[in-house]
Amino acid sequence: MGNIFGCIQVDQSTVAIKERFGKFEEVLEPGCHCLPWFFGSQLAGHLSLRLQQLDVRCETKTKDNVFVNVVASIQYRALADKANDAFYKLSNTRSQIQAYVFDVIRASVPKLNLDDTFEQKNEIAKAVEEELEKAMSAYGYEIVQTLIVDIEPDEHVKRAMNEINAAARMRVAANEKAEAEKILQIKRAEGEAESKYLSGLGIARQRQAIVDGLRDSVLGFSVNVPGTTAKDVMDMVLVTQYFDTMKEIGAASKSSAVFIPHGPGAVRDVATQIRDGLLQASQQH
């Protein structure tokens, strides 16, 4: 009904292009407008002023000959004061923006190695935005923001990079494990050395206590039993120890069979042999 009477409605965040006899006349703001068609006025079309986004995927090669897919997101919008340029000068805005993005990315990325490409995403995005801003402002468009949202190397390259990273981490873990084992072995050796040292001290003190006990026993026996000598006391001590040893061998349930001569004469021989062995060791020392 509005078209019959020459009235049109322009929605919010949108402008309309009015022509008269095929020539641009004015830009119509949001609201209701009268277009008397019988005077040659007509509506050429609408232009959205809303923010739009274009995702561009560009395949290129880095300086170290690795093919990557760079994904750029371009946020742009038409300017209300240049709506006629935005409507008439470009037939396909998205294709034009995509061409500029391809040009800048394929000129910037081949100068960088793969690792540098990941590190300099912001610099690449800034170069794309500056180039688009200069080119698209003449066509009535504003570039609000440009983002490099993803850099995707080839699948084989990603797998190789992951393996390199995993190998480096395994090498660090192996070094840490070896260092821990080294510290553990050092501590174990220090503990064994300290244990042997303390064990030696214990054995030395035990032997010293035995010697002191024997000396006190010999002196006490010689004083309490007149006419006995130190040799008599030592013979008696050796015989006592001999019988204690025999007792322990017989009491052991799992001991091996030991065949030794036994009898009063054998006891005397054992005592003589022990005494002679001690005397010879003392003389050699």
Side-chain angles (χ1 to χ4, degrees):
M1 182 65 71
N3 292 333
I4 297 177
F5 293 100
C7 295
I8 64 167
Q9 173 184 319
V10 181
D11 297 332
Q12 185 66 33
S13 300
T14 305
V15 293
I17 305 301
K18 177 183 177 182
E19 293 179 349
R20 187 171 184 181
F21 295 111
K23 181 181 179 181
F24 169 74
E25 185 174 41
E26 64 175 327
V27 176
L28 303 180
E29 299 291 336
C32 183
H33 299 273
C34 183
L35 264 72
W37 56 269
F38 42 85
F39 289 134
S41 298
Q42 63 177 357
L43 181 66
H46 292 84
L47 181 67
S48 176
L49 301 180
R50 295 177 180 176
L51 184 66
Q52 302 181 61
Q53 177 168 312
L54 173 63
D55 293 330
V56 180
R57 178 181 293 271
C58 176
E59 184 180 17
T60 184
K61 185 179 72 170
T62 62
K63 187 177 181 180
D64 47 355
N65 297 322
V66 178
F67 281 91
V68 294
N69 286 314
V70 181
V71 181
S73 292
I74 313 300
Q75 298 175 356
Y76 66 99
R77 63 186 172 194
L79 299 174
D81 56 345
K82 295 183 178 181
N84 57 330
D85 293 335
F87 186 82
Y88 287 105
K89 287 187 177 181
L90 286 179
S91 60
N92 193 330
T93 306
R94 300 173 73 87
S95 297
Q96 186 75 14
I97 293 176
Q98 183 175 357
Y100 281 110
V101 173
F102 280 179
D103 180 66
V104 176
I105 290 179
R106 288 175 176 170
S108 302
V109 174
K111 299 177 182 178
L112 305 172
N113 292 325
L114 180 61
D115 293 338
D116 296 334
T117 304
F118 283 97
E119 295 175 359
Q120 300 185 24
K121 285 172 50 178
N122 294 334
E123 286 76 6
I124 298 173
K126 185 177 180 181
V128 174
E129 183 174 349
E130 290 177 353
E131 185 66 24
L132 284 176
E133 187 67 35
K134 289 189 298 183
M136 300 304 295
S137 60
Y139 300 112
Y141 283 92
E142 176 190 10
I143 304 301
V144 178
Q145 193 170 13
T146 302
L147 302 172
I148 302 297
V149 296
D150 196 8
I151 298 176
E152 299 178 356
D154 183 76
E155 188 64 30
H156 298 289
V157 177
K158 288 196 292 185
R159 188 180 301 112
M161 293 174 65
N162 291 334
E163 290 177 355
I164 292 173
N165 190 17
R169 293 182 181 275
M170 290 178 64
R171 183 168 61 251
V172 173
N175 291 334
E176 294 294 334
K177 183 179 180 180
E179 188 68 22
E181 291 179 353
K182 174 184 175 183
I183 295 174
L184 184 61
Q185 292 179 358
I186 292 174
K187 293 299 181 181
R188 186 183 295 114
E190 292 177 353
E192 291 178 356
E194 184 69 18
S195 175
K196 291 179 180 180
Y197 172 75
L198 295 177
S199 177
L201 289 179
I203 293 173
R205 291 174 181 174
Q206 179 186 12
R207 292 176 178 175
Q208 183 65 38
I210 292 173
V211 172
D212 293 341
L214 289 173
R215 184 182 63 249
D216 294 340
S217 298
V218 170
L219 292 176
F221 195 88
S222 299
V223 172
N224 294 326
V225 182
T228 59
T229 63
K231 176 179 177 300
D232 299 331
V233 177
M234 288 302 299
D235 289 342
M236 185 182 67
V237 171
L238 289 173
V239 172
T240 303
Q241 290 183 345
Y242 174 79
F243 281 112
D244 290 340
T245 303
M246 295 295 297
K247 180 180 178 181
E248 290 180 0
I249 293 174
S253 60
K254 296 182 179 180
S255 61
S256 302
V258 179
F259 296 94
I260 57 175
H262 182 64
V267 173
R268 183 177 66 252
D269 294 339
V270 171
T272 302
Q273 292 174 7
I274 295 175
R275 183 173 61 252
D276 293 342
L278 292 174
L279 291 175
Q280 290 177 3
S282 299
Q283 289 174 1
Q284 291 176 0
H285 180 70

